[in-house]
Amino acid sequence: MKKILLLSAILSIALCLCVGCSNFPETPDDITAEGIDKEDIDTWFDVNKTDLPSLEECREITAGMSFDQVIRKIGKPQREIGHGAIIFQFDVNDGSVFTVSFEKDPEKIKNDPYISTYDYLIVFAGSFDTEIPDEYFPYHGTLSDLYSWIGGLHVEDITAVRYEQSFIGVAPGRLKNIAYSTNSVDIENTYRLLFRPLAQISDREGQIEGGGYVRYDFTTASHETYSVTVENNIVIIDHRYFKFVDNFYYAFQYSDVDCNSFITYDIPKYDEYEIYTYAAERVKVGDCDGLGEFEFCVYDGLIERTPRYYLRSSAVNLLILSPDQFMIEGGENTVAYRITGEKDFSALFAEGNDRVLQSSV
């Protein structure tokens, strides 16, 4: 008899949380749960939560409850696992996981089209698992399984590798770190990065603000270039997030060139610049773009030239000394930089500009 009653209770809970359930109970109030900032989704979760709900408490969560009501009963969820859906997980004190899917409350949206995501969430269905279901994180492998070109790229075909590292969210005009290498050791070690293990993670875990990124370019003998960019040890492919088990990073041991470039985020406002003659009364020479394409390193020699041109941009201003040398305005006056890349200021010093130069000095 006890087994029959227990089975009946379990079936009752399952029916309340099933997909077909449409008679949602009314929400008693709209008071925001404690510790929640509706505009900051990070406050909706508690990844380090220790006061976990019991299995019995979780079974009191029924379809139609608001997200607020759920949090008041069993606390904040530990993670989001939805891909195109809103699915949160709550760790239970018996070691199991309570997975709850939420949907939009049609009545609340109809009455207030500008209602926040937090306020319109209501329970749609729930289930218990012994661990995070594999179907939410189906992929465990390497980049070679995700990028088709890796399978056709052989280490012996690579003639050079390029490394680029920078931070995300810093002010334009700051410097990126860049290195080039044609050494076989650097090529082989960089190539191995493509086969480091990684696994799919949730959208929420993958959406990190700030941090930094690394990018590696592989150039072949046929002059083809293949690139991989990894942000915060995470790679984004087809709107899915994959995190490396180990740090996706290798510093060249035998680099040919170590240099820098300006951060412009490929935004025209920061990538465009104006050139003027360097004189008491400056004369505009022209409008240009591609500020972020200049690659350069610190020049260790003596600075024997005075500025000939002035570069002005929203990101940084430069004092141009020669076709391949400049100083940063506002920086240390004793530090000059030498251009190491293909893009330089040669056009300014071409023979056709002699008249301009003579009138400006």
Side-chain angles (χ1 to χ4, degrees):
M1 183 64 179
K2 288 183 179 180
K3 290 183 179 180
I4 295 175
L5 289 175
L6 178 59
L7 178 60
S8 177
I10 294 174
L11 288 173
S12 177
I13 293 171
L15 287 172
C16 286
L17 295 175
C18 71
V19 172
C21 186
S22 59
N23 297 319
F24 299 139
E26 295 183 1
T27 303
D29 59 65
D30 294 318
I31 300 175
T32 305
E34 184 178 356
I36 295 291
D37 178 351
K38 296 178 183 179
E39 305 303 321
D40 183 2
I41 193 171
D42 287 338
T43 67
W44 302 5
F45 300 85
D46 185 357
V47 295
N48 300 313
K49 181 173 160 186
T50 56
D51 185 15
L52 301 178
S54 65
L55 192 64
E56 290 71 23
E57 289 173 318
C58 291
R59 283 175 174 159
E60 294 177 4
I61 304 303
T62 58
M65 281 187 173
S66 70
F67 189 26
D68 263 325
Q69 290 176 299
V70 173
I71 290 177
R72 290 197 189 93
K73 279 187 171 292
I74 61 175
K76 297 179 181 180
Q78 276 64 66
R79 66 193 68 87
E80 178 184 8
I81 62 172
H83 293 281
I86 302 175
I87 305 175
F88 298 156
Q89 284 192 327
F90 301 76
D91 293 337
V92 186
N93 63 9
D94 68 347
S96 63
V97 177
F98 183 40
T99 302
V100 180
S101 63
F102 292 83
E103 68 172 3
K104 301 177 182 180
D105 185 332
E107 290 300 318
K108 289 183 178 180
I109 295 175
K110 180 175 66 176
N111 296 330
D112 183 1
Y114 301 104
I115 190 171
S116 70
T117 301
Y118 179 87
D119 286 324
Y120 70 50
L121 292 180
I122 57 174
V123 175
F124 180 62
S127 63
F128 293 95
D129 303 284
T130 56
E131 59 184 12
I132 300 176
D134 287 340
E135 61 264 27
Y136 294 117
F137 307 112
Y139 180 80
H140 297 269
T142 69
L143 278 180
S144 60
D145 302 319
L146 300 173
Y147 285 123
S148 58
W149 58 263
I150 294 178
L153 179 66
H154 305 289
V155 66
E156 59 269 19
D157 299 328
I158 302 171
T159 57
V161 284
R162 178 183 183 273
Y163 159 83
E164 177 179 309
Q165 179 273 330
S166 184
F167 298 98
I168 302 170
V170 299
R174 299 285 292 276
L175 302 183
K176 298 178 183 179
N177 299 312
I178 298 172
Y180 291 86
S181 180
T182 55
N183 183 274
S184 61
V185 173
D186 289 334
I187 290 175
E188 291 173 5
N189 287 334
T190 306
Y191 180 73
R192 289 194 185 100
L193 293 177
L194 303 177
F195 301 91
R196 286 197 173 177
L198 76 169
Q200 186 174 343
I201 58 176
S202 69
D203 291 3
R204 179 178 177 275
E205 187 180 356
Q207 294 170 357
I208 301 174
E209 294 185 5
Y213 76 89
V214 293
R215 168 178 165 169
Y216 291 95
D217 299 321
F218 302 84
T219 301
T220 67
S222 57
H223 304 292
E224 295 177 305
T225 299
Y226 301 90
S227 303
V228 173
T229 299
V230 176
E231 298 181 2
N232 299 312
N233 214 37
I234 295 169
V235 64
I236 306 172
I237 302 174
D238 295 331
H239 305 292
R240 294 180 297 163
Y241 297 84
F242 302 87
K243 188 171 185 177
F244 289 90
V245 176
D246 301 312
N247 193 21
F248 187 87
Y249 177 78
Y250 169 72
F252 297 162
Q253 299 180 49
Y254 307 100
S255 58
D256 301 316
V257 178
D258 294 288
C259 56
N260 303 102
S261 68
F262 294 115
I263 295 173
T264 63
Y265 298 109
D266 295 324
I267 298 174
K269 175 182 177 181
Y270 303 121
D271 206 45
E272 296 170 350
Y273 57 92
E274 301 170 332
I275 297 291
Y276 295 84
T277 58
Y278 191 81
E281 294 184 6
R282 292 174 180 167
V283 178
K284 187 173 182 178
V285 175
D287 298 300
C288 307
D289 59 22
L291 178 66
E293 298 173 13
F294 291 107
E295 294 185 359
F296 48 88
C297 64
V298 173
Y299 174 65
D300 296 327
L302 296 175
I303 305 173
E304 299 178 348
R305 300 180 178 90
T306 58
R308 303 291 294 272
Y309 289 96
Y310 177 72
L311 183 153
R312 184 173 71 181
S313 75
S314 297
V316 65
N317 299 327
L318 307 180
L319 309 179
I320 302 171
L321 305 173
S322 71
D324 65 349
Q325 292 179 5
F326 66 88
M327 293 189 296
I328 298 176
E329 185 180 50
E332 297 182 26
N333 294 331
T334 58
V335 177
Y337 296 89
R338 177 178 61 84
I339 292 177
T340 59
E342 295 181 0
K343 186 179 179 68
D344 59 19
F345 298 111
S346 295
L348 291 176
F349 293 84
E351 185 176 349
N353 284 329
D354 286 349
R355 183 180 59 81
V356 177
L357 287 172
Q358 290 171 0
S359 65
S360 65
V361 294

